[in-house]
Amino acid sequence: MPYPTRRPEATQSPDRGRELLARKWSYLLSGVVVVPLDRSQLDREMRVRLDEVCDAVHAEPFTQRAVERIGERLVALGYVGEDGLRVTLDVLGKGLFGLPEFQPVERHAQRIAAVLGAVSCGFLVGVKRSVFEQQESMQLSLLKAVRDAQWNLKESEARFEEVATSSTSGILVVDLSGRLVRANTAIGQILGYTTEELTGFALLDLVHPDSAKVLDEALRALVAGAQERVRQPQRLLRKDGDVARISLTVSLVRGAEDQPGHFVAVVEDGTELMLLQSELNRQALHDVSTGLPNRQFFTTHLEGALRRADPVRGVTLFHLDLDAFGMVCNSLGRRTGERLLVHVAQRLKAVVAREKAMIARFDGDEFAILIENTATTPDVATTVAEINRELSEPVYLDDHGLAVSASVGVVRRPPPDWEPANVMRAAEQALRRAKSRRRGQWELFHPGQDAVERRVDAMAVAMPGALEDGDIDVRYEPVVDLGGRGVVGVTARLHWDRGDDEVDHDTCTDLAERSGLILSLGEWQLATACGQLGWWAQGGGPLGADVSLHVALTRHQSRDGDLVRRVRRVLDDTGLPASRLTVGMPVEVFPEPDAVDNLTVLAELGVGTSLDDFGLGPDDLAVASELPVRWVRVARRLVARQARGEAEFLAGLVPLALRTGARVLVDGVETAAQA
């Protein structure tokens, strides 16, 4: 990709002057307002607005209304309030007088002032219109809310009627005096009455005398708030004199101000209740879409399988995650995705049809297979290959031929004393490693590797506490001029004192990248180092006031959209001149536009820039030539290889780097022989 080049030393063109002023306007505006644009979009928008302002200054005759529309368009960007107007007037009020096209200033001063006034007027008109539109939108929303509430009430009543009519359970609505207000057809069939005959009955008159007192006390407890719901077996009196043995559930419905309104009683006979309970149990343990066991059922089954497993062959757990399933749902819809999951479930059943196995669907697009191994069970590689072979055959859903692959984590013959949770966690760890490689891969769980990863994860999550406790600090390595042997700078590096264990800079940044702490940790490191350099400059140390500070960034930091803002904030807070700071970015990050933009803007602010991990990559020299960098830092690993006699080319690399116009830092030189 083309990279931004250095700014020319010659006189800037009018377009260049406008471009710089527009970027400054965009940058300062983004710091005080919120607009629905990213940085590049806002830069382009401000350049268009600036061109309109400049054209208005030149225009003959001057048209007040045309200039006011510029201010209105600023408001139309989004939430641009008082701070946005203040920044706009400050930037344009100073910047326009500095543009070459408005020289001499005296000739254009009056017209520039008129344009700024018209922009302010248009801005206020736009804000007024925006407020009016918001008020009108709020009024419409309130009217819609009232209409929706009325509609929901009617819909709720209709839904209750539909449920009550179609339900196979008896439903009774009883007032606080105990009289039946409404009854559905099902309760009439249970008791042998019509719904009209039941209306007006006392509920207790339908209950067998032996249990009427118990129900009466329960209803009183509901009204008093001592219970939320009453559920008890009951005997109701049928019209023909027989007794119906049922299960009765009574709830109290409260009305306005939480006052008791009426009772709702649900009556179920024993047979239907048993069937319903069975269905609910099945649904609680199975996935609705595929009909497969869910995680809860699978975990319970795994516990039993571990107990009865063959002591030699054991069991094997496969944890699968479908690759690109999200792409299917995003492009073809969730319904198609659910149908694809059903197809996957059928294909997995075909793979293990001859094994004693259970297949389960976990959350989203995750599946699990537990095989109780026998003498004829295929090895893991064969099973995984068969899974992906089955899934790779397209299935046509809504005229789309779809096929997927699966990443798989495998636990083979787990120890018999492991808990199911340990086996599941091990499979998830193996799956995570498989997904970190490429799609369609599988990974076998290794206890030793897992122990290392858990130890690394434990260190990563402990870093915020260590930083808070002061166990993480910044240490400084000298940057020495090999010609004069003088210290010309220092490199700030992180250090973590863990008692018996010392964690170096590279490990600290790797751990912070893993946990997501790197951005806040990096800003703290920069602020600490800049403050230390300022203290040394005031006579607090052996280094002089001209020593520079070098701070290396990770790939994630280099692409951070707030990097420039972070650096400016630290420089403002510490008072360190931008020219004394050099920020290094790994050379491999520069195919990415965000990193290029960050480096370019930092260079324009006067901050020194460095290409780190510089070596013999195909684009390293091109990047160093095309970007505004002051330094290139030769990778530390190359110095280590040269010390072992494996990188004789390093001596030839330095002259090539010097041709780019940048100074060369060689990282890791510790002996005279290496120098």
Side-chain angles (χ1 to χ4, degrees), residues 187-204:
I187 187 62
Q189 293 173 347
I190 293 172
L191 300 180
Y193 292 96
T194 65
T195 55
E196 292 78 9
E197 290 174 333
L198 286 173
T199 302
F201 251 100
L203 177 61
L204 296 180

Side-chain angles (χ1 to χ4, degrees), residues 114-135:
V115 167
L116 293 180
V119 170
S120 301
C121 182
F123 193 96
L124 295 176
V125 170
V127 170
K128 181 178 179 181
R129 180 183 298 115
S130 176
V131 171
F132 175 77
E133 291 174 351
Q134 291 174 7
Q135 292 174 341

Side-chain angles (χ1 to χ4, degrees), residues 490-551:
V490 292
T491 297
R493 298 179 66 81
L494 294 168
H495 177 267
W496 183 4
D497 184 358
R498 301 183 71 237
D500 297 335
D501 187 15
E502 302 288 327
V503 182
D504 61 16
H505 174 83
D506 292 337
T507 305
C508 283
T509 56
D510 289 343
L511 293 173
E513 287 270 7
R514 179 186 290 254
S515 66
L517 182 67
I518 187 62
L519 296 183
S520 58
L521 179 64
E523 185 172 354
W524 172 85
Q525 174 197 3
L526 179 62
T528 301
C530 288
Q532 181 67 52
L533 209 68
W535 183 75
W536 283 336
Q538 296 173 6
L543 301 181
D546 57 344
V547 172
S548 62
L549 172 65
H550 295 255
V551 178

Side-chain angles (χ1 to χ4, degrees), residues 406-487:
S407 299
V408 188
V410 184
V411 180
R412 184 170 179 266
R413 293 203 303 266
D417 59 342
W418 271 24
E419 295 293 328
N422 293 335
V423 182
M424 298 284 285
R425 188 198 62 80
E428 291 173 359
Q429 288 290 97
L431 175 61
R432 187 174 71 175
R433 289 198 299 269
K435 292 171 64 176
S436 68
R437 294 164 60 194
R438 299 189 305 276
R439 294 173 184 261
Q441 301 299 301
W442 66 278
E443 186 77 22
L444 190 65
F445 173 77
H446 298 286
Q449 185 178 9
D450 177 65
V452 172
E453 288 189 355
R454 294 181 69 178
R455 185 163 55 250
V456 171
D457 287 345
M459 291 176 60
V461 299
M463 284 194 78
L467 181 62
E468 182 71 20
D469 294 339
D471 296 334
I472 299 177
D473 60 6
V474 180
R475 297 189 177 182
Y476 304 90
E477 293 181 353
V479 178
V480 178
D481 182 358
L482 292 184
R485 292 293 194 265
V487 176

